[in-house]
Amino acid sequence: MSAGALVFVAALVAIFVLAGPESQPGRPLEPPGPPGTGPLTLVSLGDSTLSGEGAGLYTPETNGLNGNWCHRSPNATVEKTKVSGIETRINLACSGAPSAQVGFGDAKQWTEPSQAQRLGELTRSNRVAAVVIAVGANDEPHFSQLISECFQSWFNVRAAPCSERLKTEWQPRIDAMVPRVVDAVNDVRQALADRGYTLDDYDLVLQSYAAPIGPGIPDAFRNLNGCPFRTEDLDWVAGPGINALTEGLRSAASQTGARFLDLSRAGVGHEACSGGPNAAQEWFSRLTVQWTDLSSVDRANHAIQESFHPNAAGHAQFARCLGEFLEGDAPSAACLKGDDGNLHAALSP
């Protein structure tokens, strides 16, 4: 539900209050907007980009407890997004989630069931005004695995850069991803439709991904001090790689009628290691090792899980942009840095 719709809801509430219950004899009054009862709610679905991976302070139940590594953080984008009329924010995103787990079905991610199913259940207590989704990177693109492969190629100087192989494989991977994302987004819509929601009752945003690394990394930090990647791979990830992924997701948004928020250029100048010795202005985590986890069999495999994800500052910037986008009604926008140094929602050409 856009800002205009939220204002309209407020006006309708005023009319009902002024008219009083006598104006609707024999009929219980229902709040305008999304059906049901409870607070107007913004919900995030998807993978690590929205769960809060890299932002720290993970909730105990998603930080390895009973095998749940969804890594949801109070610093995640949805928790910091401000939109007029929104009373509650709920994060259902899970680190590493593929489209199959966001949509309906039996797929689980770190023990958690379908996010679309959980969204439907949420409507029993909350009025869902907006849903933002980030998904697709863990399907055929395997973006995190891609970063890992490029990391490994840094060690093997005799081998070709990882981007050489990906140049021919990448677009087919994106093409295979798109229908999976379309199915997941349609399942999210169906989850709300099954609860009596119409398309006018809520906003649905599909967002793309920001490149966590880029070509501006000082040579002294293109190693285990922070970002061990080859120059050729940095150029490819931040350029053709992220651009093709963005266009695939833009297509999925168009096919499902979702609004589209382009984050492909959101991190420019603030990528991991871009600050050299000063990481204060970076919006993404560098190579991060939880050394204490290495001593635990159950946690060792997740010791570097936070690496190369938006950090708390990055999530706050993405939240600023998302909030501006939701306040308007444009079908698409891009998160770009303004003159004030912060991200803003700029209308897409």
Side-chain angles (χ1 to χ4, degrees):
M1 187 164 59
S2 66
L6 288 170
V7 171
F8 179 64
V9 166
L12 285 178
V13 170
I15 291 172
F16 277 117
V17 169
L18 291 173
E22 294 79 12
S23 63
Q24 299 287 323
R27 294 178 59 189
L29 290 179
E30 294 185 1
T37 59
L40 287 175
T41 303
L42 169 63
V43 182
S44 61
L45 306 176
D47 55 31
S48 59
T49 294
L50 285 177
S51 73
E53 185 73 78
L57 300 178
Y58 309 112
T59 59
E61 64 271 17
T62 66
N63 193 25
L65 184 65
N66 298 321
N68 188 327
W69 290 94
C70 285
H71 269 182
R72 282 193 281 271
S73 169
N75 293 321
T77 296
V78 68
E79 304 289 359
K80 303 299 181 180
T81 301
K82 298 179 181 179
V83 184
S84 301
I86 293 296
E87 303 166 86
T88 302
R89 298 154 187 82
I90 294 180
N91 186 1
L92 297 180
C94 180
S95 187
S99 292
Q101 193 262 344
V102 172
F104 287 129
D106 297 328
K108 291 186 177 182
Q109 180 65 19
W110 303 128
T111 74
E112 293 197 355
S114 161
Q115 293 181 33
Q117 174 186 325
R118 296 182 68 192
L119 174 66
E121 295 168 352
L122 179 65
T123 62
R124 296 171 181 168
S125 57
N126 296 68
R127 300 169 65 214
V128 176
V131 179
V132 57
I133 306 172
V135 72
N138 294 304
D139 295 326
E140 281 78 3
H142 297 294
F143 195 71
S144 293
Q145 181 179 325
L146 177 157
I147 298 296
S148 178
E149 290 175 3
C150 291
F151 176 18
Q152 293 172 30
S153 75
W154 174 82
F155 286 94
N156 188 1
V157 294
R158 295 182 179 180
C162 72
S163 54
E164 284 301 311
R165 175 175 56 82
L166 291 167
K167 287 176 182 178
T168 58
E169 294 181 4
W170 192 239
Q171 191 57 52
R173 290 193 193 185
I174 301 299
D175 294 341
M177 171 201 75
V178 172
R180 297 187 189 277
V181 175
V182 168
D183 287 346
V185 175
N186 283 335
D187 281 355
V188 169
R189 285 206 182 279
Q190 189 61 51
L192 293 174
D194 289 345
R195 299 291 180 170
Y197 281 67
T198 69
L199 297 182
D200 293 331
D201 286 331
Y202 64 96
D203 259 336
L204 181 61
V205 174
L206 178 64
Q207 70 172 47
S208 66
Y209 297 85
I213 52 178
I217 297 175
D219 290 346
F221 289 84
R222 287 194 299 106
N223 51 45
L224 293 177
N225 285 331
C227 297
F229 299 101
R230 296 188 185 188
T231 301
E232 306 96 314
D233 294 337
L234 291 170
D235 290 340
W236 184 86
V237 168
I242 204 71
N243 291 339
L245 180 58
T246 298
E247 292 312 307
L249 292 168
R250 191 190 306 275
S251 173
S254 176
Q255 293 179 52
T256 56
R259 300 174 68 192
F260 183 66
L261 188 59
D262 177 359
L263 269 68
S264 62
R265 293 165 286 172
V268 173
H270 296 275
E271 300 94 340
C273 299
S274 59
N278 180 13
Q281 298 302 312
E282 294 172 8
W283 295 346
F284 299 85
S285 58
R286 301 180 176 192
L287 176 62
T288 303
V289 182
Q290 296 297 333
W291 297 104
T292 57
D293 286 355
L294 294 176
S295 62
S296 168
V297 174
D298 293 334
R299 304 184 68 86
N301 287 339
H302 302 274
I304 62 171
Q305 183 172 317
E306 298 175 84
S307 302
F308 309 115
H309 283 85
N311 57 24
H315 279 279
Q317 289 290 339
F318 297 162
R320 178 194 302 273
C321 180
L322 175 61
E324 290 183 2
F325 185 49
L326 286 171
E327 290 283 10
D329 56 7
S332 63
C335 292
L336 301 175
K337 189 166 67 173
D339 293 338
D340 61 357
N342 295 312
L343 286 184
H344 296 281
L347 297 183
S348 297

